[in-house]
Amino acid sequence: MDVTTPDQPTTTATPIDPAEASFDIVARQESTEAAVADLRSDLDRVKARIGRAARPALGTGDEAAPEVKGFVDGYLRRGATQEIKSITAGVPGDGGYAVPRQIDAAIARQLTEISPIRAIAQVVQTGSADYRKLVTLGGTASGWVSENAGRPETATPNFSEIAPPTGELYANPAASQAMLDDAGFDLESWLASEIGQEFARAEGAAFVNGSGVNQPRGFLAAPMTEEFDEDRPFGTLQYIASGDADGFGAEPDAMLIDLVHSLKAGHRQGASFVMNSATLAEVRKLKTANGAFLWQPGMVDGQPDRLLGYPVVEAEDMPDIAAGTCPIAFGNFRHGYLIAERSATQVLRDPFTNKPFVHFYATKRVGGQVLDSNAIKLLKIAV
C-alpha cells in the first residue's frame, strides 16, 4: 500500500569555515587566560591582606577607617585641628570632639567587663541628659460577663515617672609627647583602656551606693522596708532580715531560700545574686542541715557559679557583712535597675596644662535609678 506524505522543507547544513573556527578557538583561549590572570591577581591581593593582618598594628588602627586614622594621628598625637574627624552628633562647641566609632566601642567593652552592674542592668542610650520613663503600677483591670450583659468601665492603671539622676563622668589620663611621637605606641588601645578603667571604677560604685546628687542613685540608696510588695510604696525595696545582729544566723540556708522566694516568679527568671568577694567567701562555706554545700561551682568553662541554682555576680562595692548592712542583693536587675547614658564619649586634648604631658579629658553623662522596686530584694544583717 502506497502512503503519500506532504512535502516537508529540506534542512541543509551550512558548512563551517575552518578559518572562522580557528579564530573562535583563539578567542576562547584568550578569554580563559584573562580569567586566570584575574584570579591570580585576586589571590595576590588576598595574600597581601593576610600578611598585613598578621603583622602587629603600630597604633594607627584599621587602614579601612580613615576617620579613626585622622583622629588618632592628627588630633590625639599632634593636636592638628585640620585633621579632626567626627562621626557623631557632637561638635567642638559642646566642649570636645566625639570619639570615633571604633574607640567608643572599645570603651563600652571595657565597661561591660569591669563594671558588673552594667552587665546585668537595663542600659538605654539617650540623646540628652534629661531621660524619663513611665511605669504602670498594676495592669488594666478586667472582668467576666455573660453574652448579653453590659460591659461596665474598668479601672485605669496608675503611672509613675522614673527620671534617673545623672552626672558627668570624666577621666583625665595623660601621656608624654615622647610617647605620642613613638609610632610603636598603640595610642588607641591605651586611651580606651585608661578611660574604661576610670569610668568602670566610678560608675560601679555609683550604681550600688550613689547618692543621686550629680551622679546615679544606687539601689542601696533607695528606701528600704520589711513590708511585702502589696503593702510598701513604689520605689521602696524590701529587705529580709538575717535573724542575727552580726551575721547570717543559725539557719543560713532557710534565710537565703526566703530571700529567693520573696521575689515574684516572673522576676526570678533571669535573677542573680550580687555580693562582694568577702561575703562570697563566707557564703561558700555555708551548708544545709544534711551537710551539703549551698554553693555550686560552674561545671562548664564560662558558666557562672551558682547559689541555690542562681548565678552569683561579684561587685566589690557591695558592703561587707556587718550589723545594719545589706551585703547580699538578689533580683532581676534588668527589670529592677535602669542605666541611662549618652552614647557619645567626648575627648578634649589638652597639651598646655601640664607640659610636657598631654592630657586627654574624656567625659560621658551617665544616670541610674531603681526601675521596679519589686524586682530587687536585699538581705539585711539584723534581728
Side-chain angles (χ1 to χ4, degrees):
M1 175 175 161
D2 295 335
V3 179
T4 304
T5 58
D7 295 338
Q8 296 181 355
T10 303
T11 302
T12 304
T14 303
I16 299 175
D17 189 356
E20 292 182 359
S22 62
F23 290 150
D24 185 49
I25 293 175
V26 172
R28 288 200 299 270
Q29 289 178 344
E30 291 178 351
S31 176
T32 303
E33 291 175 357
V36 172
D38 291 340
L39 290 176
R40 288 178 178 174
S41 178
D42 292 340
L43 182 59
D44 292 339
R45 283 196 296 269
V46 171
K47 289 181 178 179
R49 192 176 298 114
I50 293 175
R52 287 195 300 269
R55 294 192 295 270
L58 297 179
T60 57
D62 188 1
E63 295 181 0
E67 70 277 2
V68 176
K69 181 172 181 173
F71 181 83
V72 174
D73 290 343
Y75 180 63
L76 296 183
R77 289 188 185 274
R78 295 187 294 273
T81 56
Q82 66 270 19
E83 293 294 337
I84 292 173
K85 306 292 183 182
S86 178
I87 59 173
T88 67
V91 295
D94 291 337
Y97 301 101
V99 176
R101 190 171 302 164
Q102 285 83 347
I103 298 181
D104 196 44
I107 295 173
R109 286 195 299 271
Q110 291 277 339
L111 289 171
T112 301
E113 293 169 358
I114 299 174
S115 178
I117 304 302
R118 169 180 287 270
I120 60 177
Q122 181 181 155
V123 181
V124 296
Q125 305 291 333
T126 65
S128 64
D130 189 14
Y131 175 81
R132 298 178 184 275
K133 183 180 181 69
L134 291 179
V135 179
T136 58
L137 305 181
T140 302
S142 60
W144 294 95
V145 294
S146 64
E147 180 180 358
N148 299 321
R151 270 61 175 173
E153 181 181 352
T154 58
T156 302
N158 295 324
F159 290 87
S160 181
E161 185 181 61
I162 297 294
T166 62
E168 188 169 86
L169 185 61
Y170 77 94
N172 193 23
S176 66
Q177 188 60 50
M179 294 172 63
L180 301 181
D181 293 338
D182 186 359
F185 175 52
D186 192 349
L187 176 62
E188 179 181 342
S189 298
W190 172 82
L191 185 63
S193 176
E194 287 295 308
I195 295 176
Q197 292 279 352
E198 285 297 319
F199 282 7
R201 179 195 59 78
E203 73 171 23
F207 294 154
V208 176
N209 299 300
S211 64
V213 179
N214 296 325
Q215 61 180 277
R217 181 180 294 116
F219 60 87
L220 290 186
M224 304 177 191
T225 181
E226 283 188 289
E227 296 178 340
F228 296 103
D229 292 351
E230 298 79 10
D231 302 326
R232 67 180 188 278
F234 177 78
T236 301
L237 299 182
Q238 179 187 4
Y239 70 82
I240 305 298
S242 65
D244 190 289
D246 299 316
F248 287 151
E251 298 181 346
D253 52 343
M255 170 199 63
L256 291 175
I257 291 174
D258 290 340
L259 178 65
V260 168
H261 288 277
S262 65
L263 197 67
K264 292 181 179 178
H267 291 314
R268 289 202 298 269
Q269 303 297 323
S272 59
F273 286 95
V274 177
M275 63 190 78
N276 64 20
S277 57
T279 303
L280 184 57
E282 296 298 323
V283 170
R284 294 188 64 174
K285 303 172 187 177
L286 299 179
K287 297 182 180 180
T288 61
N290 57 7
F293 283 99
L294 298 177
W295 176 264
Q296 299 171 351
M299 303 302 294
V300 181
D301 187 21
Q303 186 182 46
D305 298 325
R306 294 183 176 271
L307 178 63
L308 297 178
Y310 295 94
V312 179
V313 176
E314 292 187 57
E316 294 304 326
D317 296 291
M318 292 289 291
D320 293 334
I321 300 173
T325 64
C326 296
I328 298 178
F330 176 76
N332 190 323
F333 284 81
R334 200 164 300 279
H335 297 169
Y337 194 79
L338 175 68
I339 299 174
E341 64 178 4
R342 285 187 58 181
S343 58
T345 303
Q346 296 188 333
V347 175
L348 181 65
R349 188 181 191 272
D350 179 15
F352 307 108
T353 302
N354 189 21
K355 297 186 290 293
F357 294 96
V358 178
H359 286 259
F360 299 97
Y361 179 68
T363 59
K364 190 171 189 177
R365 294 199 65 85
V366 182
Q369 184 182 351
V370 171
L371 177 61
D372 185 352
S373 54
N374 294 337
I376 300 177
K377 304 294 181 178
L378 304 175
L379 175 67
K380 186 174 183 178
I381 305 300
V383 178

